[in-house]
Amino acid sequence: MSPSLYQEVQHFYGRQMRHLDQGEHRAWAETFTEDGVFTANAHPEPQRGREEIEAASRKAGARLAEEGVRTRHWLGMLEVNERPDGSVEARTYALVLRTPKGGPTAVHLSTTCDDVLVRVGGRLQVKHRSVSRDDLQGS
Amino acid sequence: MSPSLYQEVQHFYGRQMRHLDQGEHRAWAETFTEDGVFTANAHPEPQRGREEIEAASRKAGARLAEEGVRTRHWLGMLEVNERPDGSVEARTYALVLRTPKGGPTAVHLSTTCDDVLVRVGGRLQVKHRSVSRDDLQGS
Amino acid sequence: MSPSLYQEVQHFYGRQMRHLDQGEHRAWAETFTEDGVFTANAHPEPQRGREEIEAASRKAGARLAEEGVRTRHWLGMLEVNERPDGSVEARTYALVLRTPKGGPTAVHLSTTCDDVLVRVGGRLQVKHRSVSRDDLQGS
Protein backbone atom coordinates (compact mmCIF):
# COMPACT_ATOMS: atom_id res chain seq x y z
CA MET A 1 0.00 0.00 0.00
CA SER A 2 1.48 3.33 -1.05
CA PRO A 3 1.60 6.32 1.32
CA SER A 4 -0.16 8.36 -1.30
CA LEU A 5 -3.12 5.98 -1.39
CA TYR A 6 -3.52 6.25 2.37
CA GLN A 7 -3.72 10.02 2.30
CA GLU A 8 -5.88 9.96 -0.83
CA VAL A 9 -8.46 7.95 1.10
CA GLN A 10 -8.28 10.39 4.01
CA HIS A 11 -8.77 13.26 1.60
CA PHE A 12 -11.65 11.51 -0.09
CA TYR A 13 -13.42 11.06 3.25
CA GLY A 14 -12.94 14.70 4.14
CA ARG A 15 -14.66 15.72 0.91
CA GLN A 16 -17.35 13.07 1.15
CA MET A 17 -18.40 13.82 4.71
CA ARG A 18 -18.48 17.55 4.02
CA HIS A 19 -20.95 16.89 1.22
CA LEU A 20 -23.10 14.88 3.62
CA ASP A 21 -22.96 17.39 6.47
CA GLN A 22 -23.62 20.38 4.25
CA GLY A 23 -26.62 18.82 2.60
CA GLU A 24 -25.01 18.51 -0.81
CA HIS A 25 -27.08 15.42 -1.47
CA ARG A 26 -26.30 14.99 -5.16
CA ALA A 27 -22.57 15.44 -4.64
CA TRP A 28 -22.77 12.98 -1.73
CA ALA A 29 -24.46 10.38 -3.91
CA GLU A 30 -21.83 10.89 -6.59
CA THR A 31 -19.09 9.80 -4.19
CA PHE A 32 -20.61 6.34 -4.63
CA THR A 33 -20.41 4.32 -7.84
CA GLU A 34 -23.53 4.32 -10.01
CA ASP A 35 -24.41 0.94 -8.50
CA GLY A 36 -23.00 1.70 -5.06
CA VAL A 37 -24.54 -0.06 -2.06
CA PHE A 38 -24.90 1.39 1.43
CA THR A 39 -25.78 -1.09 4.12
CA ALA A 40 -26.10 -0.45 7.84
CA ASN A 41 -27.17 -2.48 10.83
CA ALA A 42 -29.58 0.36 11.56
CA HIS A 43 -31.28 0.17 8.15
CA PRO A 44 -33.89 -2.47 7.34
CA GLU A 45 -32.81 -2.47 3.68
CA PRO A 46 -29.59 -1.45 1.91
CA GLN A 47 -29.64 1.67 -0.21
CA ARG A 48 -28.82 0.58 -3.77
CA GLY A 49 -27.57 3.01 -6.39
CA ARG A 50 -27.16 6.76 -6.39
CA GLU A 51 -30.86 7.57 -6.64
CA GLU A 52 -31.67 5.77 -3.41
CA ILE A 53 -28.57 7.09 -1.68
CA GLU A 54 -29.41 10.66 -2.66
CA ALA A 55 -33.06 10.30 -1.66
CA ALA A 56 -32.19 8.90 1.77
CA SER A 57 -29.69 11.70 2.40
CA ARG A 58 -32.21 14.32 1.30
CA LYS A 59 -34.84 12.91 3.65
CA ALA A 60 -32.50 12.74 6.64
CA GLY A 61 -31.19 16.22 5.87
CA ALA A 62 -34.69 17.69 5.76
CA ARG A 63 -35.53 16.22 9.15
CA LEU A 64 -32.37 17.64 10.73
CA ALA A 65 -32.90 21.04 9.14
CA GLU A 66 -36.40 21.11 10.60
CA GLU A 67 -34.98 20.35 14.02
CA GLY A 68 -32.24 22.96 13.54
CA VAL A 69 -29.57 20.33 14.11
CA ARG A 70 -26.16 20.35 12.46
CA THR A 71 -24.29 17.08 12.05
CA ARG A 72 -20.58 16.38 11.68
CA HIS A 73 -19.33 13.00 10.56
CA TRP A 74 -15.80 12.23 11.70
CA LEU A 75 -13.94 9.25 10.25
CA GLY A 76 -10.69 8.12 11.78
CA MET A 77 -8.37 5.25 12.66
CA LEU A 78 -8.13 4.41 8.97
CA GLU A 79 -6.81 1.08 7.76
CA VAL A 80 -6.30 0.64 4.03
CA ASN A 81 -5.71 -2.56 2.12
CA GLU A 82 -5.21 -2.62 -1.63
CA ARG A 83 -6.55 -5.73 -3.32
CA PRO A 84 -4.96 -7.41 -6.34
CA ASP A 85 -7.81 -6.18 -8.56
CA GLY A 86 -7.01 -2.58 -7.64
CA SER A 87 -10.02 -2.06 -5.40
CA VAL A 88 -9.36 -0.75 -1.91
CA GLU A 89 -10.65 -1.95 1.43
CA ALA A 90 -10.87 1.02 3.77
CA ARG A 91 -11.94 0.58 7.37
CA THR A 92 -12.62 3.46 9.70
CA TYR A 93 -14.24 4.34 12.98
CA ALA A 94 -16.96 6.93 12.48
CA LEU A 95 -18.48 9.34 14.95
CA VAL A 96 -21.59 11.39 14.35
CA LEU A 97 -21.78 14.61 16.33
CA ARG A 98 -24.89 16.73 16.55
CA THR A 99 -25.25 20.36 17.50
CA PRO A 100 -28.67 21.95 17.88
CA LYS A 101 -28.93 25.70 17.49
CA GLY A 102 -27.64 27.13 20.76
CA GLY A 103 -25.83 23.91 21.59
CA PRO A 104 -24.61 21.86 23.23
CA THR A 105 -22.75 19.49 20.91
CA ALA A 106 -23.13 15.82 21.70
CA VAL A 107 -21.76 12.57 20.37
CA HIS A 108 -24.77 11.07 18.67
CA LEU A 109 -23.38 7.74 17.45
CA SER A 110 -20.22 5.66 17.34
CA THR A 111 -19.94 3.30 14.40
CA THR A 112 -17.54 1.36 12.27
CA CYS A 113 -17.48 1.96 8.52
CA ASP A 114 -16.13 -0.74 6.16
CA ASP A 115 -15.79 0.39 2.56
CA VAL A 116 -14.80 -1.07 -0.75
CA LEU A 117 -13.50 1.77 -2.89
CA VAL A 118 -12.84 1.67 -6.61
CA ARG A 119 -11.28 4.15 -8.95
CA VAL A 120 -13.56 5.60 -11.62
CA GLY A 121 -12.09 8.10 -14.05
CA GLY A 122 -9.11 8.48 -11.73
CA ARG A 123 -11.17 9.27 -8.62
CA LEU A 124 -12.11 7.07 -5.70
CA GLN A 125 -15.75 6.11 -5.27
CA VAL A 126 -17.52 3.89 -2.76
CA LYS A 127 -18.72 0.65 -4.31
CA HIS A 128 -19.87 -0.87 -1.05
CA ARG A 129 -20.25 0.61 2.43
CA SER A 130 -21.20 -1.25 5.57
CA VAL A 131 -21.87 0.82 8.69
CA SER A 132 -22.33 -0.81 12.06
CA ARG A 133 -23.61 1.15 15.04
CA ASP A 134 -21.95 0.30 18.33
CA ASP A 135 -25.18 0.69 20.28
CA LEU A 136 -26.99 -1.98 18.24
CA GLN A 137 -24.89 -4.88 19.45
CA GLY A 138 -26.13 -8.31 18.52
CA SER A 139 -29.13 -6.85 16.76
CA MET B 1 -1.86 18.34 -4.41
CA SER B 2 1.05 16.17 -3.30
CA PRO B 3 0.61 13.47 -0.66
CA SER B 4 3.44 15.03 1.28
CA LEU B 5 1.65 18.39 1.51
CA TYR B 6 -1.42 16.69 2.93
CA GLN B 7 0.51 15.04 5.73
CA GLU B 8 2.59 18.18 6.27
CA VAL B 9 -0.62 20.07 7.04
CA GLN B 10 -1.75 17.29 9.40
CA HIS B 11 1.60 17.46 11.15
CA PHE B 12 1.46 21.22 11.36
CA TYR B 13 -1.94 21.07 13.05
CA GLY B 14 -0.70 18.49 15.56
CA ARG B 15 2.10 20.85 16.55
CA GLN B 16 -0.06 23.96 16.50
CA MET B 17 -2.87 22.60 18.65
CA ARG B 18 -0.42 21.19 21.17
CA HIS B 19 1.01 24.68 21.60
CA LEU B 20 -2.49 26.01 22.20
CA ASP B 21 -3.55 23.29 24.62
CA GLN B 22 -0.33 23.41 26.61
CA GLY B 23 -0.42 27.14 27.05
CA GLU B 24 2.61 27.81 24.87
CA HIS B 25 1.12 31.12 23.86
CA ARG B 26 4.13 32.61 22.10
CA ALA B 27 4.78 29.44 20.11
CA TRP B 28 1.06 29.34 19.27
CA ALA B 29 1.17 32.90 17.95
CA GLU B 30 4.25 32.07 15.90
CA THR B 31 2.32 29.44 13.96
CA PHE B 32 0.58 32.44 12.37
CA THR B 33 2.24 34.85 9.98
CA GLU B 34 3.33 38.18 11.45
CA ASP B 35 0.17 39.71 10.02
CA GLY B 36 -1.98 36.61 10.56
CA VAL B 37 -5.71 37.10 11.07
CA PHE B 38 -7.94 34.92 13.25
CA THR B 39 -11.65 35.46 12.75
CA ALA B 40 -14.49 33.53 14.37
CA ASN B 41 -18.24 33.81 14.39
CA ALA B 42 -17.95 33.81 18.19
CA HIS B 43 -15.59 36.82 18.28
CA PRO B 44 -16.86 40.38 17.92
CA GLU B 45 -13.57 41.39 16.27
CA PRO B 46 -10.85 39.46 14.42
CA GLN B 47 -7.51 39.02 16.12
CA ARG B 48 -4.95 40.73 13.88
CA GLY B 49 -1.25 39.95 14.11
CA ARG B 50 0.77 37.82 16.51
CA GLU B 51 0.54 40.22 19.44
CA GLU B 52 -3.24 40.08 19.53
CA ILE B 53 -3.30 36.35 18.88
CA GLU B 54 -0.86 35.70 21.71
CA ALA B 55 -2.69 38.02 24.10
CA ALA B 56 -6.05 36.37 23.42
CA SER B 57 -4.57 32.92 23.95
CA ARG B 58 -2.92 34.00 27.17
CA LYS B 59 -6.17 35.42 28.49
CA ALA B 60 -8.20 32.33 27.61
CA GLY B 61 -5.50 30.08 29.03
CA ALA B 62 -5.44 31.95 32.32
CA ARG B 63 -9.19 31.59 32.71
CA LEU B 64 -9.06 27.85 32.05
CA ALA B 65 -6.13 27.37 34.42
CA GLU B 66 -8.09 29.14 37.12
CA GLU B 67 -11.01 26.80 36.55
CA GLY B 68 -8.68 23.78 36.49
CA VAL B 69 -9.87 22.87 33.02
CA ARG B 70 -7.73 21.22 30.38
CA THR B 71 -8.63 21.65 26.71
CA ARG B 72 -7.85 19.50 23.71
CA HIS B 73 -8.36 20.79 20.19
CA TRP B 74 -8.88 18.05 17.64
CA LEU B 75 -8.79 18.85 13.92
CA GLY B 76 -9.89 16.29 11.39
CA MET B 77 -11.55 15.58 8.06
CA LEU B 78 -8.90 17.65 6.35
CA GLU B 79 -9.29 18.90 2.82
CA VAL B 80 -6.30 20.58 1.20
CA ASN B 81 -6.21 22.66 -1.95
CA GLU B 82 -3.02 24.18 -3.30
CA ARG B 83 -3.49 27.50 -5.06
CA PRO B 84 -1.49 28.65 -8.07
CA ASP B 85 0.34 31.22 -5.92
CA GLY B 86 1.60 28.43 -3.63
CA SER B 87 -0.67 29.22 -0.72
CA VAL B 88 -2.76 26.41 0.67
CA GLU B 89 -6.43 26.26 1.53
CA ALA B 90 -6.92 23.83 4.39
CA ARG B 91 -10.37 23.04 5.70
CA THR B 92 -11.01 20.98 8.81
CA TYR B 93 -13.63 20.10 11.34
CA ALA B 94 -12.51 21.05 14.83
CA LEU B 95 -13.67 19.76 18.17
CA VAL B 96 -12.84 21.31 21.50
CA LEU B 97 -12.89 18.91 24.43
CA ARG B 98 -12.68 20.03 28.04
CA THR B 99 -11.71 18.05 31.10
CA PRO B 100 -11.98 19.56 34.55
CA LYS B 101 -9.79 18.13 37.29
CA GLY B 102 -11.48 14.88 38.32
CA GLY B 103 -13.40 14.72 35.03
CA PRO B 104 -15.53 14.02 33.22
CA THR B 105 -14.41 14.98 29.72
CA ALA B 106 -17.02 16.65 27.56
CA VAL B 107 -17.27 17.89 24.01
CA HIS B 108 -17.29 21.63 24.47
CA LEU B 109 -17.66 22.84 20.89
CA SER B 110 -17.92 21.62 17.32
CA THR B 111 -16.62 24.02 14.69
CA THR B 112 -15.29 24.28 11.20
CA CYS B 113 -11.87 25.81 10.60
CA ASP B 114 -10.97 27.28 7.21
CA ASP B 115 -7.34 28.28 6.86
CA VAL B 116 -5.12 29.91 4.31
CA LEU B 117 -1.60 28.66 4.92
CA VAL B 118 1.57 30.06 3.46
CA ARG B 119 5.14 28.90 3.57
CA VAL B 120 7.58 31.15 5.41
CA GLY B 121 11.21 30.07 5.60
CA GLY B 122 10.14 26.60 4.54
CA ARG B 123 7.51 26.17 7.25
CA LEU B 124 3.75 26.48 7.05
CA GLN B 125 2.08 29.35 8.87
CA VAL B 126 -1.54 30.47 9.11
CA LYS B 127 -2.17 33.67 7.17
CA HIS B 128 -5.92 33.64 7.70
CA ARG B 129 -8.13 31.45 9.89
CA SER B 130 -11.89 31.50 10.01
CA VAL B 131 -13.59 29.44 12.72
CA SER B 132 -17.32 28.90 12.74
CA ARG B 133 -19.08 27.38 15.74
CA ASP B 134 -21.86 24.98 14.89
CA ASP B 135 -24.02 26.15 17.79
CA LEU B 136 -24.11 29.76 16.54
CA GLN B 137 -26.12 29.06 13.43
CA GLY B 138 -27.39 32.04 11.57
CA SER B 139 -25.80 34.38 14.04
CA MET C 1 10.75 12.97 8.66
CA SER C 2 9.37 11.38 5.51
CA PRO C 3 5.70 11.70 4.56
CA SER C 4 5.53 7.93 4.32
CA LEU C 5 6.64 7.50 7.94
CA TYR C 6 3.91 9.85 9.11
CA GLN C 7 1.18 7.88 7.39
CA GLU C 8 2.79 4.58 8.41
CA VAL C 9 2.40 5.60 12.05
CA GLN C 10 -1.23 6.59 11.43
CA HIS C 11 -1.85 3.22 9.81
CA PHE C 12 -0.12 1.39 12.63
CA TYR C 13 -2.37 3.09 15.18
CA GLY C 14 -5.49 2.18 13.19
CA ARG C 15 -4.48 -1.47 13.30
CA GLN C 16 -3.34 -1.39 16.90
CA MET C 17 -6.45 0.25 18.33
CA ARG C 18 -8.72 -2.08 16.37
CA HIS C 19 -6.95 -5.02 18.03
CA LEU C 20 -7.56 -3.44 21.42
CA ASP C 21 -11.19 -2.54 20.81
CA GLN C 22 -12.06 -5.92 19.30
CA GLY C 23 -10.54 -7.88 22.14
CA GLU C 24 -7.70 -9.31 20.06
CA HIS C 25 -5.51 -9.34 23.14
CA ARG C 26 -2.62 -11.37 21.76
CA ALA C 27 -2.43 -9.32 18.57
CA TRP C 28 -2.62 -6.16 20.70
CA ALA C 29 0.31 -7.32 22.83
CA GLU C 30 2.29 -8.11 19.70
CA THR C 31 2.11 -4.49 18.58
CA PHE C 32 4.56 -3.90 21.44
CA THR C 33 8.16 -5.10 21.44
CA GLU C 34 8.88 -8.23 23.49
CA ASP C 35 10.13 -5.96 26.27
CA GLY C 36 7.62 -3.17 25.61
CA VAL C 37 6.62 -0.97 28.52
CA PHE C 38 3.19 0.62 29.01
CA THR C 39 3.03 3.28 31.68
CA ALA C 40 0.07 5.45 32.58
CA ASN C 41 -0.65 8.03 35.25
CA ALA C 42 -3.75 5.93 36.05
CA HIS C 43 -1.75 2.73 36.66
CA PRO C 44 0.09 2.10 39.93
CA GLU C 45 2.74 0.05 38.07
CA PRO C 46 3.87 -0.06 34.43
CA GLN C 47 3.00 -3.11 32.37
CA ARG C 48 6.30 -4.68 31.33
CA GLY C 49 6.54 -7.08 28.41
CA ARG C 50 3.92 -8.68 26.22
CA GLU C 51 2.65 -11.14 28.83
CA GLU C 52 1.66 -8.39 31.22
CA ILE C 53 0.28 -6.21 28.44
CA GLU C 54 -1.84 -9.07 27.13
CA ALA C 55 -3.06 -10.05 30.59
CA ALA C 56 -4.09 -6.49 31.44
CA SER C 57 -5.96 -6.14 28.16
CA ARG C 58 -7.71 -9.47 28.68
CA LYS C 59 -8.81 -8.46 32.16
CA ALA C 60 -10.12 -5.06 31.07
CA GLY C 61 -11.83 -6.63 28.06
CA ALA C 62 -13.60 -9.21 30.20
CA ARG C 63 -14.95 -6.52 32.50
CA LEU C 64 -16.28 -4.46 29.59
CA ALA C 65 -17.83 -7.51 27.93
CA GLU C 66 -19.62 -8.29 31.18
CA GLU C 67 -21.00 -4.76 31.27
CA GLY C 68 -21.94 -4.96 27.59
CA VAL C 69 -19.82 -1.93 26.82
CA ARG C 70 -17.98 -1.37 23.56
CA THR C 71 -14.91 0.88 23.51
CA ARG C 72 -13.35 2.85 20.69
CA HIS C 73 -9.89 4.33 21.04
CA TRP C 74 -9.29 7.30 18.77
CA LEU C 75 -5.78 8.68 18.32
CA GLY C 76 -5.24 11.97 16.57
CA MET C 77 -3.20 15.16 16.30
CA LEU C 78 -0.13 13.09 15.57
CA GLU C 79 3.37 14.51 15.81
CA VAL C 80 6.23 12.33 14.62
CA ASN C 81 9.92 12.83 15.21
CA GLU C 82 12.53 10.45 13.86
CA ARG C 83 15.59 10.05 16.06
CA PRO C 84 19.13 9.56 14.78
CA ASP C 85 19.06 5.92 15.97
CA GLY C 86 16.03 5.22 13.76
CA SER C 87 13.50 5.04 16.58
CA VAL C 88 10.44 7.23 16.30
CA GLU C 89 8.82 9.52 18.83
CA ALA C 90 5.09 9.63 18.16
CA ARG C 91 2.82 11.86 20.20
CA THR C 92 -0.94 11.78 19.95
CA TYR C 93 -4.08 12.84 21.70
CA ALA C 94 -6.24 9.85 22.55
CA LEU C 95 -9.94 9.66 23.25
CA VAL C 96 -11.72 6.66 24.68
CA LEU C 97 -15.39 6.41 23.75
CA ARG C 98 -17.77 3.93 25.35
CA THR C 99 -21.09 2.67 24.09
CA PRO C 100 -23.25 0.42 26.24
CA LYS C 101 -25.76 -1.81 24.50
CA GLY C 102 -28.64 0.46 23.58
CA GLY C 103 -26.45 3.55 23.87
CA PRO C 104 -25.77 6.34 24.31
CA THR C 105 -22.12 6.79 23.33
CA ALA C 106 -20.07 8.93 25.68
CA VAL C 107 -16.56 10.27 25.79
CA HIS C 108 -15.03 8.25 28.60
CA LEU C 109 -11.53 9.71 28.75
CA SER C 110 -9.24 12.25 27.14
CA THR C 111 -5.54 11.45 27.32
CA THR C 112 -2.20 12.09 25.72
CA CYS C 113 -0.16 9.18 24.42
CA ASP C 114 3.62 9.49 24.01
CA ASP C 115 5.23 6.55 22.24
CA VAL C 116 8.68 5.43 21.27
CA LEU C 117 8.32 3.18 18.24
CA VAL C 118 10.98 0.94 16.78
CA ARG C 119 11.08 -1.12 13.64
CA VAL C 120 11.26 -4.89 14.13
CA GLY C 121 11.37 -7.08 11.05
CA GLY C 122 10.25 -4.10 9.00
CA ARG C 123 7.19 -3.33 11.11
CA LEU C 124 6.65 -0.66 13.74
CA GLN C 125 6.23 -1.75 17.34
CA VAL C 126 5.79 0.21 20.56
CA LYS C 127 8.87 0.07 22.75
CA HIS C 128 7.59 2.52 25.32
CA ARG C 129 4.16 4.08 25.79
CA SER C 130 3.23 6.72 28.32
CA VAL C 131 -0.44 7.60 28.66
CA SER C 132 -1.59 10.56 30.73
CA ARG C 133 -5.25 11.07 31.58
CA ASP C 134 -6.41 14.67 31.48
CA ASP C 135 -8.70 14.21 34.48
CA LEU C 136 -5.84 13.15 36.77
CA GLN C 137 -4.08 16.49 36.78
CA GLY C 138 -1.27 16.87 39.23
CA SER C 139 -1.74 13.38 40.55
Side-chain angles (χ1 to χ4, degrees):
Chain A
M1 205 276 305
S2 75
S4 61
L5 176 61
Y6 191 86
Q7 73 78 14
E8 185 183 357
V9 175
Q10 291 183 316
H11 209 174
F12 170 72
Y13 284 143
R15 203 162 45 229
Q16 188 188 41
M17 292 301 136
R18 224 165 243 108
H19 287 318
L20 181 60
D21 292 331
Q22 297 182 341
E24 297 160 359
H25 307 293
R26 188 67 206 157
W28 155 256
E30 286 173 351
T31 62
F32 290 79
T33 60
E34 283 284 358
D35 62 350
V37 176
F38 188 142
T39 73
N41 68 345
H43 298 172
E45 295 288 335
Q47 299 163 18
R48 295 182 185 281
R50 286 185 181 160
E51 298 306 313
E52 287 188 23
I53 289 168
E54 180 180 349
S57 174
R58 202 170 289 282
K59 197 173 154 187
R63 205 178 323 119
L64 289 165
E66 224 170 90
E67 299 170 9
V69 170
R70 205 163 262 176
T71 64
R72 299 288 170 198
H73 288 76
W74 285 66
L75 272 58
M77 306 315 285
L78 174 65
E79 281 192 90
V80 168
N81 180 40
E82 202 166 6
R83 292 160 157 184
D85 69 358
S87 67
V88 176
E89 296 172 350
R91 308 173 66 199
T92 48
Y93 288 176
L95 284 183
V96 188
L97 289 111
R98 287 194 173 181
T99 308
K101 192 168 178 166
T105 296
V107 178
H108 177 57
L109 290 173
S110 170
T111 75
T112 54
C113 177
D114 293 351
D115 280 352
V116 177
L117 308 176
V118 294
R119 205 173 289 280
V120 180
R123 293 179 70 121
L124 294 174
Q125 294 182 350
V126 179
K127 188 170 180 57
H128 192 279
R129 169 163 295 177
S130 176
V131 169
S132 181
R133 276 170 47 174
D134 286 340
D135 59 336
L136 302 179
Q137 296 166 41
S139 62
Chain B
M1 206 274 309
S2 76
S4 61
L5 175 62
Y6 191 86
Q7 72 80 15
E8 186 183 358
V9 175
Q10 289 184 317
H11 208 175
F12 170 73
Y13 285 143
R15 204 161 45 228
Q16 188 189 41
M17 291 302 135
R18 224 166 245 107
H19 287 319
L20 180 61
D21 292 331
Q22 297 182 341
E24 297 159 359
H25 307 292
R26 187 68 205 155
W28 156 255
E30 286 173 349
T31 62
F32 291 79
T33 59
E34 284 285 357
D35 61 349
V37 175
F38 188 141
T39 74
N41 67 346
H43 298 172
E45 294 289 334
Q47 299 163 18
R48 296 183 183 280
R50 287 186 181 159
E51 298 306 314
E52 287 188 24
I53 289 168
E54 180 179 350
S57 174
R58 203 171 288 281
K59 197 173 155 187
R63 205 178 323 119
L64 290 165
E66 223 171 89
E67 299 170 9
V69 170
R70 205 163 263 175
T71 63
R72 298 288 170 198
H73 287 76
W74 285 67
L75 271 58
M77 307 313 287
L78 173 65
E79 281 193 90
V80 169
N81 180 39
E82 202 166 6
R83 292 160 156 184
D85 67 0
S87 67
V88 175
E89 296 172 349
R91 307 174 67 199
T92 49
Y93 289 176
L95 284 183
V96 188
L97 289 111
R98 288 194 173 182
T99 308
K101 193 168 178 167
T105 296
V107 178
H108 178 57
L109 290 174
S110 169
T111 75
T112 53
C113 177
D114 292 351
D115 280 352
V116 177
L117 309 175
V118 294
R119 204 174 289 280
V120 180
R123 294 178 69 122
L124 294 174
Q125 294 182 350
V126 179
K127 187 170 181 59
H128 191 279
R129 169 163 295 177
S130 176
V131 169
S132 180
R133 277 170 48 174
D134 285 339
D135 59 337
L136 302 179
Q137 297 166 39
S139 62
Chain C
M1 204 274 307
S2 76
S4 61
L5 175 63
Y6 190 86
Q7 73 79 15
E8 185 183 357
V9 174
Q10 290 184 316
H11 209 177
F12 170 73
Y13 284 142
R15 204 161 45 229
Q16 187 188 42
M17 292 301 135
R18 225 166 243 107
H19 287 319
L20 181 61
D21 292 331
Q22 297 182 342
E24 298 160 358
H25 307 294
R26 187 67 206 155
W28 156 255
E30 286 174 350
T31 61
F32 290 79
T33 60
E34 285 284 357
D35 62 349
V37 175
F38 188 141
T39 74
N41 68 344
H43 297 172
E45 295 288 335
Q47 300 163 18
R48 295 182 185 281
R50 286 185 182 160
E51 298 305 314
E52 286 188 23
I53 289 168
E54 181 180 349
S57 174
R58 202 170 290 282
K59 198 173 155 189
R63 205 178 323 120
L64 290 165
E66 223 171 87
E67 298 169 10
V69 170
R70 204 162 263 174
T71 64
R72 299 288 170 199
H73 287 76
W74 285 66
L75 272 57
M77 307 314 287
L78 173 65
E79 281 193 271
V80 169
N81 179 39
E82 201 167 7
R83 292 160 157 183
D85 67 0
S87 67
V88 175
E89 297 172 350
R91 308 173 67 197
T92 49
Y93 288 176
L95 284 183
V96 188
L97 288 112
R98 287 194 173 180
T99 307
K101 192 168 178 166
T105 296
V107 178
H108 178 57
L109 290 172
S110 169
T111 74
T112 53
C113 176
D114 292 351
D115 280 351
V116 178
L117 308 175
V118 293
R119 204 173 289 280
V120 181
R123 293 179 70 121
L124 294 174
Q125 294 182 350
V126 178
K127 189 171 179 58
H128 192 279
R129 169 163 295 177
S130 176
V131 169
S132 180
R133 277 171 47 175
D134 286 339
D135 59 336
L136 302 179
Q137 297 166 39
S139 62

